């Protein structure tokens, strides 16, 4: 099962990905992000991968869309706390240099504020 | 004025009329036909001049009507709070208006538009078996010229209940019909997609210096994986394996575009890294949905066994030699196509000795999962590749069988594709 708890830290929205981000759960995240960013266009969006078990290409697509959306609004998307396994998926797809990736949540939030 | 007790003959007439209408409504499943039947029968049974039927749309909170008798065809829609119909819907009670023009709730615009003169109005909710309000039925002007009576109220309420049930049934049927249509469209799309894959009886496959085998099984009806093989010229074979983010119709369309672009660009004689760069730029021209595709592209020199390749974020293929040695294709830089523009792809080169296999696959293989969410993984795949195989087809079958044995009864979560080439 997947769950995406959200927390606002100043003008940075932190979304934690619990569980799996695959074909079945990605649409939920896509909808959640669209709603949150619509309601409150924050400056920084942080996605915390600490409790993430798995990410598929469908999940990568949602992140890519989020990055584009943040960029077009003058904000930025920062990913953080990836496990080796999740990092590997990013590496293979060649996504690592495309995204802003920080080691942990605190670093990601301060990068989002900057 | 107190309502008189119903006359026995009137009560019998009403009961007969109700039975007849209920029987007829039970036979009609087409929604438009049913709406028309309800309106005409209501007018006749109620001995009125006109009837209108308003259906409630809970999604938009509107009332809509296809047929307001005498107004011709076309649909009218208005907010569900509006007018006498709106009040009937909200209160779930019948409203009997003996003189419309003396009632502030009455909207005379329909009369003005049609030249009809409304005298009296009887407006009843259509309450379903579950107690939901499906809409409102209104009858105008008793032909006798009298206002509607208490008996008329009872009759219209009873008629409304019948109509509500029939309406609900017809709407349910329509939803099912639409689902069936969608299902058929998906199946058709899946057929078209499978037909886009190269045929296994292409004439060039009969050549003695090559051997190609492949397998693709989508997880859903319409998948995002694809593979392709085609001759670039007489001595060069292109091998393509790819995985579009996500599945379904949008992924299938993106796949079709990508496949077509690769083939046409490859035939201009460019190298794999140059082909991927150009296809990436083309794909980015119109990619609102943020789709992307990982691709491994190789062009094999059929005489020398030299493989020129490039990789757009796809899992690395393997080379399996005749002595059972398993070698990963050296990683070369590249991002999935459709992500970002103006990127370069690195060029890779490998040499296949005669008898060696090139094994390409999508993540449906290494990420195949059993019921406990354990992954098939690269180790199992590599262990299997060490075993000696007679030909490409046996190798493809060995991989897919091994994955199937591993996942057991777990549902297939991703498309699974294997493409094997053997240099002879």
């Amino acid at each position: 099962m997947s769950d995406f708890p959200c927390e606002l830290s100043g003008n940075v929205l932190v979304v934690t990905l619990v569980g799996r981000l695959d074909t079945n759960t990605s649409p939920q995240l896509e909808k959640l992000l669209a709603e949150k960013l619509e309601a409150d266009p924050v400056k920084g969006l942080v996605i915390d991968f600490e409790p993430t078990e798995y990410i598929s290409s469908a999940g990568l697509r949602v992140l890519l869309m989020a990055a584009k959306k943040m960029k077009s609004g003058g904000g930025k998307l920062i990913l953080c706390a990836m496990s080796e396994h999740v990092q590997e998926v990013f590496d293979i797809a060649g996504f690592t240099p495309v995204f802003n990736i920080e080691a942990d949540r605190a670093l990601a939030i301060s990068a989002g504020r900057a | 004025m107190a309502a008189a007790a119903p006359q026995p003959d009137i009560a019998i007439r009403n009961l007969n009329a109700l039975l007849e209408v209920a029987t007829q409504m039970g036979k009609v499943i087409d929604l438009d036909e049913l709406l028309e039947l309800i309106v005409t029968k209501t007018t006749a049974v109620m001995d009125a001049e006109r009837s209108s039927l308003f259906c409630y749309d809970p999604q938009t909170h509107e009332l809509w009507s296809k047929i307001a008798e005498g107004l011709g065809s076309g649909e009218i829609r208005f907010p569900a709070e509006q007018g006498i119909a709106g009040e009937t819907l909200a209160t779930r009670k019948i409203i009997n208006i003996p003189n419309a023009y003396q009632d502030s709730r009455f909207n005379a615009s329909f009369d003005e538009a049609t030249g009809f003169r409304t005298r009296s109005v009887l407006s009843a909710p259509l309450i379903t078996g579950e107690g939901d309000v499906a809409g409102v039925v209104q009858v105008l002007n008793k032909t006798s010229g009298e206002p509607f009576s208490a008996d008329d109220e009872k009759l219209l309420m009873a008629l409304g209940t019948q109509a509500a049930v029939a309406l609900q049934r017809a709407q349910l049927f329509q939803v099912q019909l639409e689902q069936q249509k969608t299902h058929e469209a998906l199946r058709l799309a899946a057929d078209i997609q499978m037909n886009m894959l190269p045929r296994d009886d292409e004439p060039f496959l009969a050549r003695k210096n090559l051997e190609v085998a492949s397998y693709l099984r989508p997880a859903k009806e319409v998948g995002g994986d694809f593979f392709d093989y085609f001759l670039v010229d007489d001595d060069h074979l292109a091998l393509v394996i790819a995985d579009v983010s996500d599945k379904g119709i949008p992924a299938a369309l993106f796949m079709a575009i990508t496949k077509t672009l690769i083939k046409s660009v490859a035939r201009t004689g460019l190298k794999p890294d140059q082909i991927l760069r150009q296809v990436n730029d083309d794909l980015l021209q119109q990619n609102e949905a943020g789709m992307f595709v990982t691709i491994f592209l190789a062009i094999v020199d059929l005489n020398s066994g030299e493989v020129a390749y490039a990789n757009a974020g796809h899992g690395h293929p393997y080379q399996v030699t005749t002595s059972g040695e398993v070698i990963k294709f050296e990683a070369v830089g590249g991002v999935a196509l459709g992500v970002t523009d103006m990127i370069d792809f690195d060029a890779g080169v490998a040499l296949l000795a005669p008898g060696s296999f090139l094994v390409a696959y999508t993540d449906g293989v290494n990420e195949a999962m059993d019921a406990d969410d354990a992954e098939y993984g690269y180790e199992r795949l590599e262990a299997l590749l060490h075993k000696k195989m007679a030909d490409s087809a046996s190798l493809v079958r060995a991989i897919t069988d091994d994955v199937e044995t591993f996942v057991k009864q777990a549902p297939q979560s991703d498309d699974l594709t294997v493409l094997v080439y053997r240099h002879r």
Side-chain angles (χ1 to χ4, degrees):
Chain A
M1 278 326 292
S2 298
D3 188 25
F4 311 120
C6 302
E7 195 186 312
L8 205 56
S9 173
N11 56 2
V12 176
L13 175 68
V14 184
V15 181
T16 308
L17 304 189
V18 183
R20 299 168 54 82
L21 190 61
D22 56 21
T23 308
N24 297 323
T25 58
S26 293
Q28 297 166 28
L29 179 67
E30 189 168 21
K31 190 162 165 262
L32 175 91
L33 290 180
E35 283 168 5
K36 289 276 177 192
L37 297 177
E38 176 84 17
D40 181 11
V42 286
K43 191 164 172 290
L45 172 63
V46 168
I47 309 275
D48 187 348
F49 285 83
E50 211 271 314
T52 310
E53 290 163 18
Y54 171 82
I55 180 165
S56 77
S57 59
L60 292 180
R61 187 182 72 81
V62 174
L63 296 177
L64 199 61
M65 289 298 285
K68 282 185 183 172
K69 191 160 184 175
M70 290 305 293
K71 198 177 168 189
S72 70
K76 54 185 157 179
L77 170 73
I78 295 127
L79 314 180
C80 71
M82 286 183 187
S83 68
E84 216 170 284
H85 191 71
V86 169
Q87 180 70 57
E88 192 185 52
V89 174
F90 276 77
D91 286 345
I92 291 177
F95 275 26
T96 307
V98 179
F99 285 101
N100 252 320
I101 303 175
E102 294 288 349
D104 61 41
R105 192 182 173 107
L107 284 172
I109 292 173
S110 56
R113 286 198 182 119
Chain B
M1 193 172 67
Q7 298 291 314
D9 57 330
I10 294 179
I12 289 167
R13 188 208 72 175
N14 288 355
L15 197 61
N16 279 335
L18 260 180
L19 271 174
E20 194 201 319
V21 173
T23 312
Q24 289 191 6
M25 284 182 191
K27 288 182 191 154
V28 179
I29 266 183
D30 180 77
L31 188 59
D32 287 346
E33 206 182 313
L34 181 66
L35 294 173
E36 197 173 333
L37 180 78
I38 293 172
V39 167
T40 50
K41 286 295 164 190
T42 303
T43 308
V45 171
M46 297 303 298
D47 203 7
E49 289 179 7
R50 273 184 192 184
S51 302
S52 305
L53 180 67
F54 303 97
C55 296
Y56 177 56
D57 183 343
Q59 260 151 26
T60 59
H61 192 56
E62 283 175 325
L63 282 165
W64 60 270
S65 178
K66 273 218 171 119
I67 307 144
E69 256 187 319
L71 287 179
S73 60
E75 189 179 298
I76 53 166
R77 266 180 184 270
F78 53 86
E81 296 84 15
Q82 206 169 297
I84 299 166
E87 192 181 317
T88 311
L89 185 84
T91 61
R92 305 160 62 97
K93 289 200 171 71
I94 196 158
I95 297 175
N96 189 348
I97 297 172
N99 193 331
Y101 280 86
Q102 283 175 14
D103 195 295
S104 61
R105 295 167 293 188
F106 178 66
N107 177 355
S109 64
F110 291 113
D111 276 12
E112 283 155 18
T114 59
F116 185 79
R117 176 80 188 176
T118 303
R119 298 188 306 272
S120 53
V121 181
L122 192 59
S123 178
L126 305 179
I127 299 176
T128 67
E130 289 81 42
D132 298 324
V133 191
V136 173
V137 63
Q138 289 187 348
V139 286
L140 309 178
N141 299 359
K142 243 183 127 61
T143 46
S144 65
E146 301 280 310
F148 289 102
S149 68
D151 281 345
D152 290 329
E153 290 182 16
K154 280 186 202 151
L155 184 59
L156 190 61
M157 283 302 281
L159 209 55
T161 305
Q162 298 299 328
V165 172
L167 265 180
Q168 207 181 21
R169 200 168 46 91
Q171 279 168 339
L172 202 66
F173 181 75
Q174 199 158 36
V175 168
Q176 278 175 349
L177 201 69
E178 252 139 54
Q179 279 172 348
Q180 200 183 338
K181 276 186 196 157
T182 310
H183 184 73
E184 271 163 28
L186 271 174
R187 228 185 40 206
L188 194 64
D191 280 353
I192 293 170
Q193 194 179 29
M194 285 314 239
N195 279 323
M196 288 191 68
L197 298 174
R199 299 162 57 103
D200 56 12
D201 59 353
E202 294 275 1
F204 72 84
L205 293 176
R207 287 191 186 191
K208 289 216 161 39
N209 60 347
L210 65 92
E211 191 183 280
V212 180
S214 55
Y215 178 87
L216 189 159
R217 190 177 66 204
K220 293 181 176 178
E221 265 172 330
V222 181
D225 276 11
F226 76 90
F227 64 85
D228 200 4
Y229 44 80
F230 53 91
L231 286 178
V232 176
D233 58 46
D234 219 35
D235 301 317
H236 293 88
L237 176 72
L239 297 166
V240 187
I241 189 157
D243 180 0
V244 177
S245 55
D246 231 335
K247 298 171 188 42
I249 302 287
L253 287 172
F254 198 74
M255 169 206 133
I257 295 168
T258 309
K259 182 179 179 290
T260 311
L261 281 173
I262 288 189
K263 197 162 182 170
S264 61
V265 177
R267 286 193 162 151
T268 63
L270 292 178
K271 300 256 175 288
D273 54 305
Q274 298 167 319
I275 297 167
L276 290 188
R277 186 187 160 126
Q278 180 161 345
V279 171
N280 184 48
D281 290 344
D282 288 347
L283 283 176
L284 280 167
Q285 299 293 315
Q286 37 203 332
N287 186 15
E288 293 302 314
M291 308 280 283
F292 63 86
V293 54
T294 69
I295 298 184
F296 174 81
L297 168 65
I299 293 180
V300 187
D301 183 323
L302 295 171
N303 301 314
S304 68
E306 189 178 280
V307 182
Y309 65 93
N311 195 339
H314 199 82
H316 51 75
Y318 292 99
Q319 180 183 164
V320 183
T321 68
T322 45
S323 59
E325 206 186 340
V326 179
I327 310 157
K328 272 184 196 173
F329 267 66
E330 201 185 322
V332 287
V335 186
L337 305 191
V339 175
T340 179
D341 60 353
M342 307 300 276
I343 42 164
D344 282 323
F345 294 88
D346 292 339
V349 184
L351 188 66
L352 294 177
S356 292
F357 295 102
L358 184 166
V359 183
Y361 53 91
T362 58
D363 56 8
V365 173
N366 53 295
E367 289 180 0
M369 250 171 279
D370 70 6
D372 301 322
D373 281 358
E375 270 188 15
Y376 178 76
Y378 295 110
E379 274 177 38
R380 278 189 188 79
L381 179 60
E382 286 168 21
L384 180 80
L385 293 177
H386 279 296
K387 296 180 186 167
K388 274 210 162 65
M389 297 292 165
D391 53 24
S392 300
S394 316
L395 182 48
V396 168
R397 207 171 314 117
I399 295 171
T400 54
D401 284 354
D402 200 42
V403 170
E404 210 157 292
T405 310
F406 174 79
V407 301
K408 292 192 191 76
Q409 299 304 314
Q412 186 187 353
S413 59
D414 201 356
D415 304 344
L416 192 157
T417 305
V418 181
L419 175 64
V420 172
Y421 164 79
R422 188 182 203 182
H423 182 58
R424 302 303 295 263

